[in-house]
Each structure stands twice: as C-alpha cells, then as structure tokens.
Amino acid sequence: MPHSTAAVTADDLDLAVRLAVAALREAPPEAWSGKAGSLEWDCWETVEHLSDDLFAYAAQIAPRTPPMDGEVPFVWESRRPGGPANAVHADRSAGPAGLLQVLDACGGMLSAVVRHTPPDVRAHHTFGASDAEGFAAMGIVETLVHMHDLAEGLGLTWEPPADLCARVLGRLFPGAPHDTDPWPTLLWATGRGDLPGHPRVTSWRWYGSPRG
C-alpha cells in the first residue's frame, strides 16, 4: 500500500487512541514497571509521556492566537532523573485503569481541538509550524510508535491498521519509501525497525508543514 494523500482527521486520532487503550487494558499488572522496548522509561512513564504529547499538541493549537515562537509555557518536569519531562502525570494510586483514563482523556482533548480549529490556523512546533491536521497526525504517530515500545515491554501484540499508517506517512514523512508496507515503514521512519533495501534510520524527524 503506497502512502495515502487522504486527509488525517480527528476520527483517525480517536481510532488510534481507542485501539491503544484497548490493547493496554490487556497488560499484566506486574509488567508496568518494566522498560518500554528500547526506551529508558518504564511502561507507566511511557504512557504518561504519550498522554503528555497528546495534551501538549492540543494546548499548542488551542489558544485564540496560537504561539508561533515557542511552546505554550506549561511546566514540564521529570519525577525522577532520566524520566520523561511531562506536564501530565497520572495518580499512581489510581492504578493502570486510572493511567489509561488519563491517556483516553488527553486523546479526547486533542481530537476535540482538531475538530474545532479552522484549517488556516497555525502553531509553533520544533519541526516547523503546523495546522490542526498536522498536530492530529503527530498525535497518531506518537500513539502508534509508543504503543510499539509498550507492546514490547508489556508482552502485547500491536499492529495498527495499514491505512491509518499510510495516511500519517503521507502527511508527515514524504521522503519515506512508497513501495513498502505502511506499518514497517513507519517503524523504520521513526528509528524503530529495519526495512529491506534501506539503511537503518538513526536520526529522524517529521515534516508537519501544512499541505500545499
């Protein structure tokens, strides 16, 4: 399946988060303290980081006049040396169910903002100013690839829909191969896998500039 030129939508983001939450509900309770794949964070911290990504993208594009010179100045801080620097932290006393509720809520915030933001609105991102569609695509990529990390750490099976992967590849990774399966290509583009015939990616970014 080649890259798709179809628009990335809030419905796509809803699907990605819904699939992620459903998969994570199957995680054994004792596995949350283990490392998430190749990351230095444990699985609990990685879900907090993912939630924080979704929240931060919503916050960035949500103001009446979104910032074009930096991030909305929330306080991002780590709870331990080497941990992710988040504005969002889940109450550990609520357990994994509470953690997944935080993830679901942050995904809902971003999808709601995407639905209600006019297409001509732009906001700062370190990889270039983007629009609501771009922030939705970024949230989907964060969800899909961090779920790959989490699936390794939690012993879960994870393979998102090919058409969803194709849409975010088309939106954010225009230089990625067009003749390979979308999910392995997305993992390759984000430095998480090998792709036959292509050198392994050791440094990566996406391109969030609005279409056209």
Side-chain angles (χ1 to χ4, degrees):
M1 177 186 293
H3 291 199
S4 173
T5 58
V8 178
T9 67
D11 288 342
D12 290 328
L13 177 64
D14 286 342
L15 173 62
V17 174
R18 185 169 70 248
L19 292 174
V21 170
L24 292 170
R25 287 198 181 110
E26 303 302 316
E30 66 277 6
W32 285 100
S33 60
K35 296 293 185 190
S38 62
L39 302 181
E40 291 302 313
W41 307 326
D42 67 30
C43 292
W44 182 286
E45 291 173 328
T46 302
V47 174
E48 286 184 325
H49 167 76
L50 172 56
S51 303
D52 189 79
D53 283 335
L54 300 173
F55 166 81
Y57 295 153
Q60 195 67 10
I61 196 78
R64 286 186 173 86
T65 304
M68 294 300 292
D69 58 353
E71 296 174 343
V72 175
F74 288 92
V75 174
W76 278 273
E77 58 187 8
S78 300
R79 291 289 175 89
R80 65 169 183 86
N86 298 337
V88 173
H89 298 273
D91 182 353
R92 287 190 178 251
S93 70
L99 175 66
L100 298 187
Q101 194 170 49
V102 168
L103 174 59
D104 199 13
C106 290
M109 290 178 201
L110 179 54
S111 65
V113 170
V114 168
R115 283 190 174 91
H116 291 95
T117 299
D120 60 338
V121 172
R122 304 288 183 265
H124 167 84
H125 186 274
T126 187
F127 291 157
S130 195
D131 57 0
E133 183 199 13
F135 282 101
M138 295 175 208
I140 293 168
V141 170
E142 298 279 10
T143 301
L144 301 186
V145 302
H146 281 313
M147 273 302 302
H148 170 76
D149 304 326
L150 287 158
E152 287 188 351
L154 296 168
L156 303 174
T157 299
W158 174 251
E159 184 168 349
D163 59 340
L164 182 59
C165 297
R167 285 194 288 282
V168 295
L169 280 167
R171 180 62 177 79
L172 296 179
F173 297 94
H178 287 232
D179 57 352
T180 50
D181 289 340
W183 176 228
T185 304
L186 183 58
L187 290 176
W188 171 84
T190 55
R192 286 170 168 81
D194 294 315
L195 204 59
H198 300 276
R200 189 175 180 91
V201 172
T202 57
S203 178
W204 63 274
R205 57 159 294 175
W206 57 52
Y207 294 85
S209 299
R211 298 177 191 268

